[in-house]
Amino acid sequence: MRKESDIQKISELILKQMRQEITEEEKLFLANWLKQSNKNQELYVRIQNENYILEQYRLKQTIDTDKAWKHVTSFPRRRVSRYFGYAATILLLLGTYFIYRIESRAEIKPKDVVAMKPIQPGVGKATLIVSNREEIQLHKNCQLELTDNSGTKYRNDSATLYYQTGTPENTTAQTDNIHTLVIGRGGEYSVMLADGTKVHLNSDSKLRYPVTFTRSERRVYLEGEAYFEVSRDERHPFIVEGKDFAVQVLGTSFNISNYKDDDVSRVVLLEGSVQVKKANKNYKLKPDEALEISGDDISIKKTNARNAISWKNDKFYFSNERLEVVMMKLARWYDVNLFYTNQTIKDYHFTGFIPKYADITKAFRVLELTTDVKFEVKDRTVTIMRI
């Protein structure tokens, strides 16, 4: 297990223990971690104190991470790793947890959030545009069994669209039959393609794909964000076309964020290997690596891939992310408009997790308790103000 993954697992186990959701096997893993050093034991005792965690969490949120890192780079490597490793990761995750817990007991009063009515999270909904340009509205509670004009069968069930697997005999007729799955703001949806590949699409995203794969390659086109679990087929590589790059794989799991209005496109690899092609150059990724594209600038960084796909589960996870990026993700999911009273607010940073399936005020309360901002909501416009 990689050290970063180990840190993440310890953090999650401590949270599960506090929630009384930990299994016997997980208890054993945590016990072994405690036996490894006195530092682990001291940290474990300290984090049982809610007031300590909240104060330390708020303090860390005020730190300029870049400056802090430069300040400690002269430290021995092991000290730096320890400081920014177990303690920091556990502190940030638990800090957010305690905010939720105290909030639910109403022991602290958040800054006022002015709202006409609660804005609910997104739901499983999408529009399917079939090869004859007919539009079919899909919903998580909608069950349909349909047949394309090419004869390909597909069905909709529980916010997932399933295509008939296998290759039909009449491949010539299938070549140009393209479907487009459109997910608007405030929506999410999944599709299982004809080759068995699973794709989970985030809000404000679009995927174009053939109803069957009959060529030497399996090529799809993505706008927005999606998590792919590609069915392995060494004879037919799977290619995802982005706005100015392409990702090629044989069989693997990865996430692509490729929004038109984002300054940065990002490819994160969970397992297997991928090759990203841009401007006639190829870049290979290993698990827990992220490739970021900003104009002509390309960089590959180490990352925690599980955090990168937290959006497809029950929470959004952010690691020292600019508030502008955080709010854009929330705006797509809750389908709201944003207005900043001061542009410098966009450069505030946030680390922690935000529940995905709660109304938007829960997200605001977490951000207000950890950053110097407050929110006002009128209709579907959110105003972000500095305090």
Side-chain angles (χ1 to χ4, degrees):
M1 180 183 294
R2 293 172 178 266
K3 187 168 184 180
E4 185 178 1
S5 299
D6 196 16
I7 294 170
Q8 180 75 14
K9 183 170 183 177
I10 290 296
S11 307
E12 293 173 351
L13 290 185
I14 295 175
L15 283 176
K16 291 181 74 173
Q17 184 182 58
M18 291 179 172
R19 295 170 179 163
Q20 298 182 340
E21 299 172 353
I22 193 168
T23 66
E24 292 301 320
E25 183 179 354
E26 291 168 338
K27 285 181 182 178
L28 181 61
F29 188 97
L30 186 57
N32 290 334
W33 174 75
L34 288 169
K35 292 177 183 178
Q36 289 176 9
S37 71
N38 291 332
K39 292 288 185 182
N40 290 353
Q41 296 172 21
E42 292 173 7
L43 177 61
Y44 180 79
V45 171
R46 218 180 281 128
I47 62 181
Q48 310 301 312
N49 185 320
E50 293 184 9
N51 292 330
Y52 169 81
I53 288 294
L54 280 173
E55 289 305 314
Q56 294 299 312
Y57 182 81
R58 292 178 182 131
L59 176 63
K60 183 164 181 60
Q61 292 297 96
T62 66
I63 294 175
D64 181 324
T65 306
D66 293 334
K67 289 182 181 178
W69 177 254
K70 290 177 182 177
H71 178 70
V72 301
T73 48
S74 60
F75 291 1
R77 186 176 183 86
R78 291 177 64 184
R79 284 183 63 193
V80 173
S81 176
R82 184 161 59 244
Y83 177 78
F84 282 97
Y86 287 111
T89 303
I90 293 173
L91 181 65
L92 291 169
L93 288 176
L94 291 174
T96 311
Y97 166 69
F98 278 124
I99 287 171
Y100 292 142
R101 203 164 97 175
I102 293 176
E103 172 98 355
S104 66
R105 296 201 306 256
E107 292 185 1
I108 58 177
K109 182 179 180 181
K111 308 176 190 78
D112 292 335
V113 177
V114 181
M116 299 296 290
K117 61 180 180 180
I119 296 177
Q120 298 302 321
V123 297
K125 60 181 180 179
T127 300
L128 176 65
I129 304 174
V130 298
S131 46
N132 64 359
R133 298 189 178 181
E134 178 187 359
E135 294 188 4
I136 302 172
Q137 300 304 316
L138 304 176
H139 194 273
K140 64 178 182 179
N141 298 323
C142 171
Q143 292 187 341
L144 295 172
E145 290 190 9
L146 302 165
T147 302
D148 187 77
N149 57 14
S150 64
T152 301
K153 295 181 179 179
Y154 55 99
R155 62 185 176 87
N156 182 73
D157 188 10
S158 301
T160 301
L161 190 60
Y162 299 89
Y163 282 81
Q164 172 182 290
T165 58
T167 303
E169 294 180 4
N170 184 6
T171 58
T172 302
Q174 299 291 330
T175 302
D176 297 321
N177 282 302
I178 301 295
H179 282 190
T180 303
L181 189 61
V182 181
I183 293 81
R185 291 165 67 94
E188 64 178 341
Y189 227 76
S190 297
V191 57
M192 180 178 285
L193 302 175
D195 68 335
T197 292
K198 300 176 183 176
V199 187
H200 188 96
L201 288 112
N202 205 348
S203 302
D204 201 15
S205 300
K206 182 189 299 184
L207 184 72
R208 289 195 297 122
Y209 51 91
V211 295
T212 57
F213 295 100
T214 60
R215 298 178 181 268
S216 59
E217 61 187 23
R218 299 169 288 167
R219 188 178 294 267
V220 302
Y221 302 84
L222 173 70
E223 295 179 20
E225 184 170 20
Y227 169 67
F228 292 82
E229 294 180 358
V230 177
S231 178
R232 189 168 187 82
D233 183 349
E234 295 185 3
R235 295 182 303 170
H236 302 90
F238 192 95
I239 300 172
V240 183
E241 291 276 2
K243 55 187 175 184
D244 56 359
F245 64 93
V247 179
Q248 178 173 317
V249 302
L250 297 176
T252 187
S253 300
F254 59 98
N255 192 83
I256 299 178
S257 182
N258 178 47
Y259 287 102
K260 287 184 176 180
D261 52 354
D262 281 358
D263 294 331
V264 179
S265 294
R266 200 164 185 249
V267 180
V268 179
L269 180 63
L270 277 79
E271 56 185 42
S273 64
V274 302
Q275 180 173 273
V276 182
K277 183 176 182 179
K278 177 175 171 59
N280 297 319
K281 291 185 179 180
N282 294 324
Y283 304 86
K284 290 186 177 180
L285 291 183
K286 299 176 182 178
D288 283 331
E289 285 187 340
L291 182 142
E292 295 184 353
I293 302 172
S294 179
D296 294 328
D297 296 329
I298 298 175
S299 62
I300 296 178
K301 303 176 180 178
K302 283 287 186 181
T303 191
N304 188 316
R306 287 195 298 169
N307 290 339
I309 64 167
S310 63
W311 64 268
K312 82 177 191 68
N313 298 314
D314 60 352
K315 59 179 176 288
F316 296 103
Y317 180 85
F318 301 98
S319 178
N320 195 35
E321 192 67 80
R322 292 179 66 245
L323 187 63
E324 181 182 24
V325 175
V326 174
M327 292 307 302
M328 182 62 74
K329 288 183 179 292
L330 295 178
R332 291 179 182 129
W333 178 236
Y334 288 96
D335 189 16
V336 296
N337 302 309
L338 304 176
F339 176 74
Y340 295 86
T341 59
N342 189 310
Q343 294 302 304
T344 62
I345 298 173
K346 295 179 178 180
D347 292 323
Y348 289 2
H349 285 71
F350 171 74
T351 294
F353 59 82
I354 293 174
K356 182 178 179 181
Y357 294 107
D359 72 70
I360 200 169
T361 57
K362 294 292 185 183
F364 292 163
R365 286 167 182 167
V366 172
L367 292 170
E368 286 183 338
L369 285 163
T370 55
T371 56
D372 292 329
V373 297
K374 67 176 181 177
F375 300 87
E376 287 185 0
V377 182
K378 184 175 182 180
D379 297 326
R380 301 199 75 85
T381 298
V382 176
T383 300
I384 306 105
M385 298 167 284
R386 186 170 58 183
I387 59 172

